[in-house]
Amino acid sequence: MKNPLLTSDQVKEMKDNFPELRRKIREHLMGAPAFNLRRPYSALEDTPVERQKFYEGLWQEQNGFQLLFSYADITLDDEANDTLAEFVRSKIKEIVKDPEKAENLLPTYLIGGKRPVVATNYYETYNQENVSLINLKKTPIVECTTKGLRTTEGEYEFDVIVFASGFDAMTGPLMKANIRGRNGMLLKDKWEDGENIKTFLGVCNVGFPNMFSITGPHFPLTTNAITVNEVIVEWIFDCIKYVEEQGIEETEATAEAEETWTNHVNEVGEQSIYAKVDSWYTGANIEGKPRAFLGYTGDYLTFQELFNNARDYKGLILTPKQNTAAEK
């Protein structure tokens, strides 16, 4: 990633041109103008020598995700993606001097299917004498001990252990929050414990009136999350304002709107590589969690358009307030 420090002139230029930057963000396919499709055709159309030179140039750039925007079919075609995966594997072998460490770091999956490691000097870290690498797929953790951790291979002593596992993305927090909708239905039961996830816009759910969720299931995983959240929050804010002005007491997704949106999410997802890889995108990191692609893989412009089209609120059941005897 390299992450260079910005100069004072660069910061000033961004601040001086902030409205223009915001406009470019809202009009960009991914909501991130730093990333642009470089070659609008298949990776398989270039020769191996041409591809190697092109990938190397992108690798040297300062925005690591750019490799996923190298060719038009990198995230759509397995064979095209494998040309990039092979390049990345060759770079890791080149950087990491210990062959065993390098081998354990090589991605064996479609690049982008898991969240890419885009850090500064990440692979170089493994060349330090004080850094070890234990492959837990080969030698799993057996137990915690008074000194540290024991794997099937031996015990390792630690001063500090950071438990960075069990990231139950998208559905976990919502299903564990004991949220109940109409007639006491639990949200996790409505979603059949993750076996049958349905939403409208990834925001509303049938049977759960006046509830709006953000960054849950059907949230875009392949675009700029900050700008996506802006679109969602603006829609929710405008919806609440509208129902208050119209004297609406309850707003709830229709079954038809929920079905249409969910079918669209699934259809788009099946066309990409993301649904094919075991990752937190698909819930594969949580033991026993039903396998499903939890996010939305459509582009940012399409996502904005869908939300703008939903401003007629025809995808919602709007129930007016009932006048009480006192009000009459």
Side-chain angles (χ1 to χ4, degrees):
M1 196 68 172
K2 294 187 175 70
N3 284 326
L5 292 174
L6 295 175
T7 66
S8 57
D9 287 342
Q10 286 174 313
V11 173
K12 184 178 185 304
E13 182 181 358
M14 289 182 183
K15 290 182 176 180
D16 290 345
N17 296 285
F18 190 70
E20 178 64 11
L21 286 173
R22 296 289 295 152
R23 182 190 65 78
K24 288 181 178 179
I25 286 171
R26 282 299 179 107
E27 295 178 359
H28 190 269
L29 193 66
M30 307 303 292
F35 305 121
N36 291 296
L37 180 61
R38 297 299 179 85
R39 296 190 173 177
Y41 54 84
S42 172
L44 305 177
E45 293 182 41
D46 277 347
T47 66
V49 173
E50 289 172 330
R51 278 198 307 269
Q52 179 72 18
K53 184 178 179 181
F54 179 46
Y55 286 150
E56 183 63 39
L58 293 177
W59 181 273
Q60 298 304 329
E61 287 192 8
Q62 295 175 343
N63 46 356
F65 277 112
Q66 187 60 62
L67 283 163
L68 294 178
F69 303 97
S70 50
Y71 292 97
D73 57 352
I74 288 295
T75 61
L76 298 173
D77 184 88
D78 292 15
E79 191 176 352
N81 187 280
D82 194 53
T83 66
L84 176 58
E86 187 54 44
F87 170 78
V88 171
R89 287 190 283 266
S90 71
K91 296 303 293 184
I92 294 172
K93 290 177 182 178
E94 177 184 311
I95 294 170
V96 181
K97 304 308 179 185
D98 184 320
E100 184 179 356
K101 286 182 181 178
E103 187 65 30
N104 283 325
L105 289 166
L106 299 183
T108 58
Y109 48 85
L110 297 164
I111 295 292
K114 290 176 183 272
R115 185 64 179 256
V117 175
V118 280
T120 302
N121 297 327
Y122 173 75
Y123 292 108
E124 286 82 352
T125 301
Y126 291 96
N127 292 328
Q128 296 176 193
E129 291 184 2
N130 63 327
V131 175
S132 301
L133 175 62
I134 308 300
N135 189 331
L136 296 180
K137 290 185 176 180
K138 294 180 179 178
T139 57
I141 293 174
V142 176
E143 63 178 350
C144 293
T145 68
T146 56
K147 296 179 179 179
L149 294 172
R150 187 190 309 280
T151 70
T152 55
E153 192 175 54
E155 184 176 8
Y156 300 88
E157 294 187 24
F158 299 112
D159 297 315
V160 176
I161 300 172
V162 179
F163 290 96
S165 60
F167 181 52
D168 195 355
M170 316 297 280
T171 57
L174 288 169
M175 291 201 295
K176 292 175 182 176
N178 202 35
I179 297 171
R180 293 183 181 273
R182 203 179 297 283
N183 300 321
M185 175 183 283
L186 284 168
L187 187 59
K188 75 182 193 69
D189 291 338
K190 189 258 186 184
W191 286 338
E192 298 177 21
D193 290 323
E195 292 276 7
N196 188 24
I197 297 172
K198 292 183 180 181
T199 75
F200 173 51
L201 301 175
V203 174
C204 304
N205 283 271
V206 171
F208 290 79
N210 297 344
M211 186 185 90
F212 304 93
S213 62
I214 301 174
T215 63
H218 298 169
F219 180 84
L221 291 173
T222 58
T223 57
N224 187 339
I226 304 301
T227 53
V228 165
N229 270 321
E230 288 180 348
V231 171
I232 297 172
V233 170
E234 287 169 5
W235 186 89
I236 293 173
F237 179 86
D238 290 343
C239 181
I240 293 173
K241 183 179 179 181
Y242 174 81
V243 299
E244 287 181 342
E245 290 174 347
Q246 298 298 314
I248 303 299
E249 185 173 43
E250 287 185 356
T251 174
E252 179 186 339
T254 69
E256 181 182 2
E258 188 179 70
E259 193 75 25
T260 299
W261 170 256
T262 300
N263 288 341
H264 170 66
V265 170
N266 292 337
E267 182 180 350
V268 174
E270 288 171 2
Q271 297 173 15
S272 73
I273 65 169
Y274 303 102
K276 301 177 182 178
V277 178
D278 287 339
S279 71
W280 64 260
Y281 291 166
T282 57
N285 62 316
I286 303 297
E287 186 175 355
K289 186 170 182 176
R291 174 66 181 265
F293 186 71
L294 304 174
Y296 176 62
T297 60
D299 64 80
Y300 179 60
L301 295 181
T302 300
F303 188 76
Q304 281 190 91
E305 182 181 2
L306 290 167
F307 267 73
N308 286 333
N309 291 342
R311 288 181 181 277
D312 61 7
Y313 308 120
K314 291 182 179 179
L316 300 174
I317 300 171
L318 303 176
T319 305
K321 291 181 180 179
Q322 301 297 316
N323 291 330
T324 64
E327 289 175 330
K328 292 177 181 179

